[in-house]
């Protein structure tokens, strides 16, 4: 069994738009048609998995975010989300990512550095470039699955996780009784 990957996201969004997103109908894999293009770089087993994933997200977005930690800076209108141990299961990653892709129309128009990243931060090798499980950038009210993380977004992620990771892991452990 592999270890669970970490999820980190940053979004420029007004407080009202955030509430609207969280109350909106959750998105599913089938709401987007670019999964196969993105997964094309994966091996054939993972491509078969993608084809077998059925839509299971129902209800509101707030129920499928996969978030353990969420903070909103009202002055800067920036939402930061995190789960140090989201999952090792790619099917769950796709469902969580589909949910977050639904935030696109709610984001502030020309804002930069809106993204969601899933990768093995806690278990990764600091000396090597991280292996990316899933990376989405949000620009002009659209989401795009990308193969490579922008250096700026990786730096934002690393700084946050390096500064807060130990505390978040401790809180996770207290809440769940395990890592």
């Amino acid at each position: 069994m592999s270890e669970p990957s970490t999820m980190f996201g940053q979004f420029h969004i007004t407080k009202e738009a955030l509430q609207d997103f969280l109350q909106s109908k959750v998105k599913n894999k089938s709401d987007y048609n670019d999964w196969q293009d993105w997964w094309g770089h994966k091996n054939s087993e993972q491509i078969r998995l993608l084809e077998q994933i059925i839509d299971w997200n129902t209800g509101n977005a707030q129920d499928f975010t996969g978030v353990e930690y969420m903070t909103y800076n009202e002055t800067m209108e920036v939402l930061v989300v995190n789960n140090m141990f989201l999952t090792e299961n790619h099917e769950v990653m796709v469902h969580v990512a589909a949910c977050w892709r639904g935030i696109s129309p709610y984001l502030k128009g020309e804002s930069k550095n809106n993204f969601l990243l899933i990768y093995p931060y806690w278990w990764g090798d600091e000396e090597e470039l991280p292996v990316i499980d899933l990376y989405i950038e949000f620009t002009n009210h659209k989401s795009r699955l990308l193969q490579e993380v922008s250096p700026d977004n990786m730096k934002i992620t690393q700084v946050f996780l390096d500064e807060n990771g130990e505390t978040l892991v401790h809180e996770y452990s207290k809440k769940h009784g395990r890592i």
Side-chain angles (χ1 to χ4, degrees):
M1 183 167 134
S2 61
E3 283 78 14
S5 288
T6 298
M7 176 180 70
F8 178 84
Q10 175 179 277
F11 307 96
H12 294 80
I13 187 169
T14 66
K15 191 171 188 176
E16 296 77 21
L18 173 59
Q19 292 307 313
D20 290 345
F21 162 67
L22 292 172
Q23 296 302 313
S24 70
K25 183 177 184 285
V26 68
K27 297 292 186 179
N28 272 290
K29 182 189 95 168
S30 64
D31 292 316
Y32 304 94
N33 61 9
D34 59 349
W35 296 100
Q36 185 69 42
D37 295 339
W38 183 80
W39 277 61
H41 78 284
K42 304 282 187 188
N43 66 44
S44 60
E45 180 181 326
Q46 289 174 316
I47 291 172
R48 276 194 306 279
L49 170 68
L50 179 66
E51 292 168 352
Q52 294 171 0
I53 294 174
I54 58 170
D55 291 348
W56 71 18
N57 293 351
T58 60
N60 295 337
Q62 69 186 3
D63 299 326
F64 293 91
T65 62
V67 170
E68 282 286 330
Y69 168 86
M70 181 184 294
T71 186
Y72 182 76
N73 181 317
E74 289 190 41
T75 304
M76 297 181 68
E77 296 184 317
V78 174
L79 171 69
V80 171
V81 298
N82 170 259
N83 185 333
M84 292 301 289
F85 306 109
L86 175 66
T87 187
E88 71 276 358
N89 183 314
H90 282 91
E91 183 174 2
V92 173
M93 289 179 198
V94 168
H95 287 292
V96 168
C99 172
W100 280 107
R101 292 184 82 177
I103 202 170
S104 295
Y106 299 95
L107 297 176
K108 292 171 70 175
E110 297 298 318
S111 60
K112 294 182 184 199
N113 302 107
N114 294 304
F115 66 97
L116 183 77
L117 174 60
I118 301 174
Y119 76 115
Y121 168 80
W122 193 253
W123 314 104
D125 184 347
E126 291 182 23
E127 302 301 316
E128 295 181 24
L129 289 174
V131 174
I132 304 303
D133 291 310
L134 198 137
Y135 175 62
I136 306 169
E137 279 189 7
F138 301 83
T139 54
N140 299 320
H141 302 289
K142 294 187 187 315
S143 64
R144 295 181 314 148
L145 290 159
L146 298 173
Q147 307 284 343
E148 294 183 29
V149 181
S150 80
D152 286 347
N153 292 344
M154 181 52 81
K155 184 175 182 180
I156 290 166
T157 302
Q158 287 294 135
V159 167
F160 177 86
L161 294 175
D162 288 348
E163 289 177 359
N164 299 288
E166 299 263 343
T167 301
L168 292 168
V169 168
H170 180 71
E171 289 175 14
Y172 183 95
S173 179
K174 281 179 29 181
K175 180 178 178 182
H176 297 282
R178 62 175 169 72
I179 291 184

